[in-house]
Amino acid sequence: MAQVPSPTIRARRLRRELRRLRERTGRTSEEVAKLLGWHRTKVIRFELGHSRVMTKDIEALLDIYEVSDEEREMLTALHRQARQKGWWSAYGDVLPDDYVGFEAEAAAISTFESLYVPGLLQTEEYVRAIVRAGRSTADQDEIDRRIAARLGRKVLLSRDVPPALWIVLDEAAVRRVVGGPKVMRAQLARLIEACDLPTVELQILPFSAGAHAAMGGPFTLLDYADPALDPAVAYLSNEMSTLLLEEEPQVTRYRLMFDHLRAKALDPDRSADFLSRVAAEIPD
């Protein structure tokens, strides 16, 4: 399956380009807005992604910024792609943030998870058990939609060039029997199988490793094929909130944390053996 451009990534790239072009002119956002007869905050809202950019707005900005024909063509193409809808837009009610859109075009995904098996490697029954446990008041339709949305993310792994996936998984996530012994054994088998995939590195962080840099909770780093166009992001989430970090010092902090976790975790071969032992220990 070929990779499809992510509207989320294209919208982010467009915002960054608009800011670069404005700064190239030496004008402030307020000065540009005044020239176009807009509210003084309209330009900055575009650059931060707080307002949708309409076609007429793009054309007006490109005129002010005096872009070349090549730049105009590139930016209008970006704008068209940013207005398209990814498959995940159909699940907006159960996917409340932009994470899936950022994940969709990642060239490398590095994730630490402390309580759950990461979504890209979850079996359907494991997903079902988690959703039912976390949404005890949800009706069957909402449960089915949440499950479909989670499973839809796995299309990443069937791309012609799938992302490099590096997972550090806390021992607690594989010790907790989710969905019963049969479901958990199948989930552990899926993890063991993933250990042999050429694009997956999986490490278990055992309890014996003691305190570590990510005691505060799980996080994910997303890297892209061209960092100059699409800089890396760090994503943090829990049941109450999500946070996407884009500033380089913030991302660097979490990259150092991930390096620390990799150093403390079992190597991939020992991790596969560890998972086999855990599966054998699950009582009937």
Side-chain angles (χ1 to χ4, degrees), residues 116-146:
Y116 304 107
V117 169
L120 291 175
L121 296 183
Q122 291 174 356
T123 66
E124 182 172 350
E125 290 307 312
Y126 184 94
V127 174
R128 191 174 299 278
I130 288 177
V131 171
R132 284 177 171 166
R135 299 282 170 176
S136 58
T137 60
D139 60 28
Q140 190 59 46
D141 181 63
E142 180 182 346
I143 290 174
D144 289 344
R145 286 178 57 72
R146 288 185 178 276

Side-chain angles (χ1 to χ4, degrees), residues 1-4 87 103-104 106 109 120-121 151-165 190 197 199-200:
M1 178 180 294
Q3 178 175 325
V4 178
W87 66 263
E103 178 188 70
I109 302 171
L120 291 175
L121 296 183
L151 295 177
R153 290 171 55 201
K154 295 186 180 184
V155 70
L156 281 177
L157 303 181
S158 59
R159 286 188 338 208
D160 293 343
V161 181
L165 182 61
R190 173 66 182 121
L197 296 175
T199 57
V200 176

Side-chain angles (χ1 to χ4, degrees), residues 12 98-99 102 222 233-236 242-246 250:
R12 179 190 186 221
D98 288 335
Y99 174 76
F102 279 98
L222 301 174
V233 299
Y235 181 82
L236 290 69
T242 61
L243 182 62
L244 189 76
L245 304 176
E246 300 185 64
Q250 298 171 319

Side-chain angles (χ1 to χ4, degrees), residues 40-212:
R40 62 185 182 85
T41 63
K42 185 171 181 176
V43 175
I44 201 65
R45 290 202 308 271
F46 286 162
E47 293 177 4
L48 292 175
H50 295 167
S51 295
R52 183 178 178 183
V53 187
M54 306 300 289
T55 300
K56 61 182 178 62
D57 298 327
I58 285 288
E59 292 173 350
L61 288 169
L62 298 186
D63 288 341
I64 288 288
Y65 298 153
E66 299 179 348
V67 300
S68 66
D69 291 342
E70 182 179 357
E71 287 176 315
R72 183 179 292 272
E73 182 178 352
M74 180 269 289
L75 289 162
T76 53
L78 268 182
H79 183 242
R80 284 195 303 271
Q81 292 169 348
R83 296 184 66 183
Q84 295 171 358
K85 294 185 181 296
W87 66 263
W88 54 89
S89 64
Y91 298 96
D93 56 327
V94 295
L95 292 173
D97 56 59
D98 288 335
Y99 174 76
V100 177
F102 279 98
E103 178 188 70
E105 206 170 321
I109 302 171
S110 306
T111 186
F112 167 68
E113 185 55 74
S114 56
L115 296 177
Y116 304 107
V117 169
L120 291 175
L121 296 183
Q122 291 174 356
T123 66
E124 182 172 350
E125 290 307 312
Y126 184 94
V127 174
R128 191 174 299 278
I130 288 177
V131 171
R132 284 177 171 166
R135 299 282 170 176
S136 58
T137 60
D139 60 28
Q140 190 59 46
D141 181 63
E142 180 182 346
I143 290 174
D144 289 344
R145 286 178 57 72
R146 288 185 178 276
I147 291 169
R150 291 200 185 194
L151 295 177
R153 290 171 55 201
K154 295 186 180 184
V155 70
L156 281 177
L157 303 181
S158 59
R159 286 188 338 208
D160 293 343
V161 181
L165 182 61
W166 198 309
I167 296 169
V168 176
L169 189 55
D170 194 280
E171 181 176 346
V174 298
R175 289 288 186 187
R176 185 179 302 279
V177 179
V178 173
K182 182 179 179 180
V183 170
M184 196 62 199
R185 286 196 196 97
Q187 178 60 76
L188 292 174
R190 173 66 182 121
L191 294 178
I192 294 167
E193 177 186 87
C195 290
D196 291 330
L197 296 175
T199 57
V200 176
E201 296 285 355
L202 194 155
Q203 293 181 261
I204 299 297
L205 183 66
F207 293 145
S208 59
H212 57 79

